[in-house]
Structures are given as structure tokens and as C-alpha cells.
Amino acid sequence: MLMKIAKDRIRKGMFIESVACPSREFARRRFLLNSDRDMAAILTSSATDVSINLRLGVDPDGRKVAAVKPASSSLPPKDMRTRAARGVIKQSAKVLRTSLGDIVSGRPLDMAHLSEAADENAELWSDSTVIALEVTRLKSKDETTYVHSLAVSGLMTLLARSLQMDDETVRILGVAGMLHDIGKLLIPNEILNKPGHLTDRERVVIRNHPEAGYQLLKTHPEIPQVVLDVCRLHHEVLDGSGYPLGLKQKDLSAPVQLSAVCDVFEALTSVRPYKRPWTVSQALDWMFARPHHFDRKMVIRLGSVLSDEPIG
């Protein structure tokens, strides 16, 4: 559970997720606050707010909400954490399947329920990034769209928080990641899960999913505009060679550019019917080598986020 507090409320024993420094002079994140030096650095920084993780440290009143895990040696065994991660993902995928099914069928969307699932998914990725990445890498054909969306949602919240976007934006981007591929539910399975090369006609059907998803989501007035933008534009790239609108960098918002980075990274590192998964390094190197497609600062930041997580 994450909580945003004023910096003058920090105390030793808190687990710091991020420090909102406009000048970026304190860049350290995801650590147990236990030194006077770090306390003083935060208090004298340009930050006004600090995000803390109540599961991993004390709250503002000094209470231990959960056991503190200061180092990888004190983490539960990896197999236990993996089982717990699978449980969270399974439950979140169930909620997502229901929510997307409601939208496709024209039923009302329970936005509160979906937002809660996105928050729980974000917590999992914040607490166990590497394990969440491993668990979501393998997907059966009938759950590919759902688990991919959960993974993209988790990556988007991690990257947005690392880029020091405000908490409300981070939450909305978590929901955007959950809904970004809803258009794929309108594609016949024999095309969506085809193991071989697509025909020209099948490729057109696949490339229509962002627009189809956008048209579906815009019938729900409770869905924020940024969620609609991410759904429609997550396959756009900086040089204008993406789809469906062929927009260039100046017309692509930061959330949209962020979604493109996370979506492609997750696709590259996952098992698909037509390819083997790439390693994290291979995917990041490939994306970094394409500045005409992806914001390099975001690619670097994503690599930094993924390297922070200890493996127990």
C-alpha cells in the first residue's frame, strides 16, 4: 500500500518508494530510510512530497503495518513470493476479464472495481518487480490479452512513478494499461493467436484494434481522456510511422509515449505463438537503438526501474 506524505513527516523505518524532487537532486528510490544522512538529504531537497510503502515500513505514526524487508536476505523465499504473485495476477486477470467483457457486451463498467484491481496490480509490481515480470512472461493462449494488459499496467505505473508523475496520474495510467488492448477482444482468435505469418488482410484486422478499442471505450463517459488516448495511440511512434493515425512526437503526450515503451517491452519479453521471449537487456537495447520510435529517456528509466528489484 502506497501513501503520499509531506516530506517533513518522514521518519526512520519508512520504506521510501520515491521522492518528488522537481530538480531531481535526490534520485534514490525504493529503500528503507534508516540513516540521518538520507533524512537530511530529503528534508533539504526541493521535494514537497514523498511516497512510502506501508507494506515494507512504518507509517507516519511509527506503526509497522507489515514486516520491514530491508534487504534481499530478509525477503520470503522466491518460490513463496512467486506463488503469491501468481495469486494476485490470477485474481486481477479475473476482474479484468469481467470488466472487458462488460464493455464489449454493452453492460455498465464498474470503474471502481477496475481501479481497485489496477491498484493491487501496481502494488505487486512495486513490491516484486522481477517476479511479476517472470510470472507474466508465460501466458496461455486464452489469457494472453488479459495478462499482457496486467503486465503493461504494472510497468506503466512503475515507469510513471519513476518519472515522478503525480499519484493520480499514476493511478489513471494503471487503468489505462488494463484497458489499452480491449480492441483485441474484437479480433477472431484464429487471427489473434495465429502461430504463422499473417496475410495482408489479417494484418489490417490486427492493426485496427487500437481504433476499435477506442471507439468502444468512448461510449463510456466515465473513462478519462488519457485512458482513451492510450487505448487509441499506444502503437504510434515518434517518427510518425505508427498506427492508426501516424502521429509524430509533437502530437503524442507523455502518457502515450510511456504506454508505447511499456507495451512493446512487454511484448518483446513475452512468449508468443510466433516467437521466443527476449531477455530484458535484449529488449531494452533494441528499443534504445530506435530513438525514432521510442523516447530514449523513458527506455533508460525503464531499465533502471527493472534493475532496482532484488531477487531473493
Side-chain angles (χ1 to χ4, degrees):
M1 182 188 305
L2 301 182
M3 175 183 286
K4 185 176 181 180
I5 62 173
K7 70 177 182 183
D8 58 8
R9 298 183 66 196
I10 62 172
R11 61 167 66 217
K12 290 182 180 179
M14 286 182 170
F15 191 90
I16 307 298
E17 282 287 345
S18 62
V19 180
C21 288
S23 302
R24 305 290 177 89
E25 72 273 27
F26 190 93
R28 192 178 178 194
R29 61 181 298 277
R30 303 209 79 236
F31 67 97
L32 183 68
L33 181 60
N34 54 17
S35 75
D36 291 330
R37 183 176 63 180
D38 283 337
M39 285 270 292
I42 294 173
L43 291 173
T44 58
S45 72
S46 62
T48 55
D49 301 311
V50 176
S51 292
I52 63 174
N53 193 321
L54 298 181
R55 286 185 173 182
L56 305 180
V58 301
D59 68 10
D61 296 320
R63 297 172 298 190
K64 290 185 178 181
V65 179
V68 175
K69 298 185 287 188
S72 60
S73 59
S74 64
L75 292 170
K78 185 179 177 183
D79 59 342
M80 293 177 61
R81 297 167 68 201
T82 299
R83 286 196 297 270
R86 286 197 181 111
V88 173
I89 289 170
K90 182 178 180 180
Q91 180 59 34
S92 296
K94 183 178 179 180
V95 173
L96 181 58
R97 185 188 292 267
T98 299
S99 297
L100 298 188
D102 287 342
I103 296 173
V104 171
S105 301
R107 294 188 292 268
L109 171 64
D110 188 340
M111 193 68 178
H113 198 198
L114 182 63
S115 297
E116 182 180 351
D119 288 345
E120 291 176 358
N121 183 59
E123 285 188 29
L124 168 65
W125 283 82
S126 178
D127 293 346
S128 303
T129 305
V130 170
I131 288 178
L133 191 62
E134 291 176 355
V135 169
T136 56
R137 181 171 286 182
L138 299 174
K139 311 171 181 65
S140 63
K141 286 185 179 180
D142 65 337
E143 66 180 3
T144 295
T145 296
Y146 304 105
V147 178
H148 167 70
S149 295
L150 290 175
V152 171
S153 174
L155 290 168
M156 285 177 64
T157 57
L158 285 177
L159 183 52
R161 192 175 293 124
S162 177
L163 293 169
Q164 299 191 356
M165 295 184 179
D166 63 86
D167 289 349
E168 183 60 23
T169 297
V170 172
R171 291 194 69 198
I172 292 174
L173 290 181
V175 174
M178 300 274 262
L179 295 177
H180 82 284
D181 257 352
I182 188 172
K184 286 186 176 178
L185 297 185
L186 306 175
I187 299 173
N189 284 334
E190 59 268 24
I191 297 179
L192 187 62
N193 297 319
K194 185 176 180 179
H197 292 292
L198 298 172
T199 66
D200 290 343
R201 185 191 67 82
E202 290 168 341
R203 192 171 292 108
V204 169
V205 172
I206 289 286
R207 288 169 67 95
N208 186 56
H209 81 268
E211 184 67 27
Y214 166 75
Q215 294 298 334
L216 188 59
L217 291 183
K218 68 183 293 190
T219 64
H220 292 263
E222 69 273 24
I223 295 179
Q225 183 62 45
V226 68
V227 176
L228 299 178
D229 291 342
V230 166
C231 177
R232 191 183 201 185
L233 305 176
H234 64 275
H235 282 294
E236 300 284 355
V237 292
L238 304 185
D239 66 358
S241 63
Y243 61 91
L245 303 181
L247 300 180
K248 293 189 175 182
Q249 183 173 7
K250 64 182 180 63
D251 297 314
L252 300 174
S253 67
V256 166
Q257 294 183 42
L258 181 151
S259 71
V261 168
C262 294
D263 180 65
V264 171
F265 172 82
E266 206 287 324
L268 291 175
T269 57
S270 292
V271 174
R272 293 294 175 89
Y274 47 84
K275 73 168 189 68
R276 293 182 178 180
W278 290 12
T279 66
V280 169
S281 295
Q282 286 173 331
L284 292 172
D285 289 347
W286 184 87
M287 295 171 70
F288 185 79
R290 286 160 176 77
H292 53 295
H293 283 179
F294 310 104
D295 184 299
R296 274 187 164 175
K297 291 181 180 179
M298 289 188 181
V299 175
I300 293 171
R301 182 71 65 150
L302 180 60
S304 176
V305 167
L306 297 176
S307 68
D308 281 343
E309 171 72 8
I311 302 178

